[in-house]
Amino acid sequence: MLDRADFEYGVAAEVCPGVRRVIARNPSKFTYHGTGTYIVGDGPVAVVDPGPALDQHRDALANALEGHDVAAILVTHCHADHSPLAEWLKSETGAPTYAFGPHAATTESWDLGSLPDEFGVVPDDQVDDDGGLDIDEPEGMPKMEESTDLGFVPDVEVRTGDEVTFGTGDVSTVVRATHTPGHTSNHTCFSASVGSAPTGTAPVLFPGDHVMGWSTTVVSPPDGDMAAYIDSLRRVAEMEHSVALPTHGPPITDPSGFISGLVEHRLDRERQVLGAIERGLVTIPDMVTELYAAVRVALHRPAAFSVLGHLVKLVDEERVTTHDGGKARLDATYSLA
């Protein structure tokens, strides 16, 4: 875990050779202590996920980048805690932005239904235990985890295997893109080989929200796709990286092992969903209440969207069916096929 004592908001701190991190002060039950923006390179630098539109974070990045030539702005996806400052940084530095593309218009949209209004809501007179994380959302903080930066359009669209190279000689950095749909359809991970890293060192992985260092990733239909997410996890697990630096949470020192564990966790959750249906828990609120009993109630609504993601996959695979024979929905009832 990343203890609050391990960092200072707004300060650029080295996390591994050639990589510094600035954490935005946007803590929440979705962003952990906040969004980590990474500055990569020893001469010219790249910035990974410039972060939310907060003046304090913008000013911290300006201070951290003073005297540096920004060669590239890399965006893993365009949720509103990741991409909004990209346009400002581009205007300040002239550096191009790189990403898979803008947030996609969902090609196959359907009515997801709704959850009961009271589901996952903590009464005002009850304390919402944060599990000891000591995370307090500042008053007036926008709910960035639920919003998307629809205005973001990259200057350069990248696909798996595309590279961005900047610097020369011992201070050169090579960044390779890997498209990793699942959390969002346009999500991309970046792998960077930094000049100052010891010879023979495997690249550093910047997984955005594909892999988090403190919690599992929400995979929410219709843009989120659980089948694609599991496939993407497997693809990245097969790659060699020295460390993974997620946007939220601490560095991961065994990326392949950690990500393989995430695949097993998702498959185990899938088995739990099937088992719950077999036991007669045929609605998503009932499934979440049992399967996430150890998770604080305030997280039950996003957990419901992850369960919906599993059910979309299972219905598509014809292992589960809805009682009306239609698409998986938040308010559908389910049975084993």
Side-chain angles (χ1 to χ4, degrees), residues 5-59:
D6 292 339
F7 71 94
E8 182 178 350
Y9 283 118
V11 174
E14 186 176 75
V15 289
C16 67
V19 181
R20 294 179 294 151
R21 178 183 60 194
V22 182
I23 297 180
R25 192 187 289 271
N26 62 328
S28 77
K29 57 182 172 286
F30 292 91
T31 61
Y32 194 43
H33 291 303
T35 297
T37 295
Y38 291 97
I39 301 169
V40 186
D42 299 303
V45 300
V47 176
V48 181
D49 284 343
L54 297 176
D55 290 349
Q56 183 185 52
H57 190 56
R58 179 200 63 206
D59 294 345

Side-chain angles (χ1 to χ4, degrees), residues 9 16-17 19 63 84 130 155 164 181 220 237 253 267 272 277 291 302 336-337:
Y9 283 118
C16 67
V19 181
N63 290 335
D130 65 4
D155 297 312
V164 181
S220 177
T253 56
L267 294 178
Q272 291 175 11
I277 296 172
L291 299 181
L336 298 181

Side-chain angles (χ1 to χ4, degrees), residues 52-187:
L54 297 176
D55 290 349
Q56 183 185 52
H57 190 56
R58 179 200 63 206
D59 294 345
L61 283 182
N63 290 335
L65 293 168
E66 187 173 356
H68 291 275
D69 175 23
V70 178
I73 302 165
L74 310 172
V75 176
T76 61
H77 64 298
C78 42
H79 276 161
D81 62 321
H82 289 251
S83 61
L85 281 184
E87 190 62 31
W88 161 80
L89 187 56
K90 174 185 172 181
S91 68
E92 290 291 310
T93 65
T97 55
Y98 296 81
F100 183 84
H103 190 76
T106 307
T107 56
E108 183 186 2
S109 186
W110 71 96
D111 180 5
L112 297 181
S114 60
L115 296 165
D117 290 343
E118 68 279 6
F119 180 74
V121 176
V122 180
D124 292 339
D125 60 351
Q126 293 184 18
V127 175
D128 181 17
D129 179 25
D130 65 4
L133 295 178
D134 192 26
I135 296 174
D136 296 314
E137 297 183 46
E139 186 175 355
M141 176 63 64
K143 301 299 183 185
M144 296 176 186
E145 70 281 352
E146 296 177 353
S147 57
T148 300
D149 180 10
L150 296 175
F152 174 75
V153 178
D155 297 312
V156 181
E157 293 189 353
V158 294
R159 299 295 183 264
T160 297
D162 287 350
E163 292 185 348
V164 181
T165 302
F166 51 93
T168 58
D170 293 339
V171 293
S172 65
T173 296
V174 179
V175 179
R176 179 184 291 265
T178 302
H179 181 216
T180 50
H183 177 59
T184 62
S185 58
N186 68 340
H187 196 289

Side-chain angles (χ1 to χ4, degrees), residues 262-282:
L262 291 179
V263 173
E264 289 308 310
H265 171 77
R266 294 291 179 168
L267 294 178
D268 185 56
R269 183 66 77 191
E270 182 178 284
R271 289 188 287 269
Q272 291 175 11
V273 169
L274 289 168
I277 296 172
E278 188 174 20
R279 293 192 303 277
L281 301 176
V282 297

